[in-house]
């Protein structure tokens, strides 16, 4: 059983090795930690604000994962994501 199995059918935030931030509902995973994310959106941070890019159904390879965590929808919806200003995450090196 995958360590990600308890997150299936929950809303998650995923950070990839190349610094992308993805949010959506985790619908499935496999033994290679590949993820299927439904209603996925990418949050692109910049010094001018955050852009939210809808991606729809998204398949993410397990070898590109850095972090996966459950997101609190109440707190997330209370934020105005577009107003958050931040530098983009750097690429992670293994």
């Amino acid at each position: 059983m995958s360590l990600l199995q308890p997150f299936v059918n929950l809303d998650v935030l995923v950070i990839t090795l190349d610094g992308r931030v993805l949010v959506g509902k985790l619908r499935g995973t496999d033994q290679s930690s590949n993820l299927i994310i439904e209603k996925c959106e990418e949050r692109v941070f910049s010094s001018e604000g955050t852009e939210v890019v809808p991606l729809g159904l998204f398949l993410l390879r397990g070898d590109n994962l850095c972090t996966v965590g459950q997101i609190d929808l109440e707190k997330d919806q209370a934020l105005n994501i577009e107003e958050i200003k931040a530098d983009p995450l750097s690429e992670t090196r293994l």
Side-chain angles (χ1 to χ4, degrees):
M1 181 169 108
S2 169
L3 293 173
L4 296 170
Q5 198 63 36
F7 293 99
V8 172
N9 295 322
L10 297 177
D11 291 290
V12 295
L13 184 139
V14 178
I15 300 175
T16 64
L17 290 176
D18 61 356
R20 296 173 73 186
V21 178
L22 306 168
V23 177
K25 187 172 291 286
L26 181 63
R27 285 302 183 186
T29 185
D30 63 9
Q31 68 275 7
S32 299
S33 298
N34 297 318
L35 302 182
I36 300 170
I37 305 173
E38 181 182 64
K39 297 181 183 172
C40 185
E41 60 185 31
E42 180 177 5
R43 295 182 179 172
V44 183
F45 296 95
S46 74
S47 58
E48 297 160 7
T50 302
E51 180 183 359
V52 178
V53 181
L55 301 173
L57 189 64
F58 198 77
L59 177 63
L60 185 64
R61 288 180 51 117
D63 61 358
N64 195 26
L65 291 178
C66 180
T67 304
V68 178
Q70 185 178 359
I71 195 165
D72 186 336
L73 281 181
E74 288 181 22
K75 290 182 181 178
D76 189 59
Q77 291 171 350
L79 295 172
N80 187 349
I81 298 295
E82 286 81 17
E83 290 183 2
I84 296 175
K85 298 177 182 179
D87 291 330
L89 294 174
S90 301
E91 184 175 319
T92 304
R93 297 181 189 160
L94 296 177

